[in-house]
Structures are given as structure tokens and as C-alpha cells.
Amino acid sequence: MTLVQNFDGPTQVLGFIANKVALGAVIGDTGVTADATGKKIIPAGTPVGGADSTLDNEQAVLTVVNDATAQGVLEFPVDVTAGQNDGTLIVNGYINANRLPQGVTISDDVKKSLSWQSRVLQTE
């Protein structure tokens, strides 16, 4: 008998890995709804930000946003079921909009606020 196992890895939201700059950030659970299993998972590619800059204050807690307060997008999913958690924030790079998980959108306000550092590629 042959044992077949499937392993899933996180979807890569980057369009190109060249020029990517990412840093650690504290991600909060404000506004995140639990799924059917009770988990609060923020998907990769989700814009996060807030009034307090993570570049000025490494302990700033960033939350899910879709406005001009965005400071970057998450490179990997972040589990905030038990409260705030560490995440990887892409602050410079190329995001492929076609690779964003279902339900994740990057608004024009986010694109504009990140335009000096990140690009959202739309290759439809």
C-alpha cells in the first residue's frame, strides 16, 4: 500500500521577491471575526496599519485596515485567536492581486498610501 500525503504551504502574495522588504510587527485582533472553528486568522495579503507607525514604535499594534492608515500588507497569515500576535509586514515590494486569498481586497486608498513603497500588480 502506498501512503499519499498532501502538504499545503501558504500562498505567496508577492509578485516578485526582488526588492521585498519586510519586518516584524505586532498584529491586533480588533475587527477580526472568528471562523466556524473559532479561529481568528488574518489572511496573507491583508492590509494592516493604524495611527501609530510601526517604524517609529516597534510595539505599535497594527490592525486590519482598508484606508490611508495602511502601513503594509501581511506576508503570511496571522493567528490572533488568543489576542495580538507577531506577523511579517511587507513594507516594500510587489503584491500580485491575483494571488490574494478570497475575501481580501486592497482598496484604492491603501494603494495610494503605499504607492511610494509597494505596488499591487493586477494581471488579469
Side-chain angles (χ1 to χ4, degrees), residues 67-91:
D67 59 22
T69 64
Q71 297 177 33
V73 299
L74 294 175
E75 184 171 8
F76 305 106
V78 177
D79 186 342
V80 292
T81 304
Q84 67 187 32
N85 204 347
D86 295 330
T88 304
L89 182 68
I90 299 171
V91 294

Side-chain angles (χ1 to χ4, degrees), residues 99-120:
R99 294 182 183 168
L100 294 175
Q102 185 176 0
V104 174
T105 59
I106 298 179
S107 72
D108 289 339
D109 288 338
V110 170
K111 291 176 188 176
K112 188 174 181 179
S113 74
L114 301 178
S115 66
W116 62 273
Q117 57 194 357
S118 300
R119 301 281 185 261
V120 177

Side-chain angles (χ1 to χ4, degrees), residues 53-69:
S53 171
T54 192
L55 297 175
D56 295 333
N57 175 7
E58 291 179 354
Q59 297 305 311
V61 178
L62 305 182
T63 57
V64 175
V65 298
N66 219 357
D67 59 22
T69 64

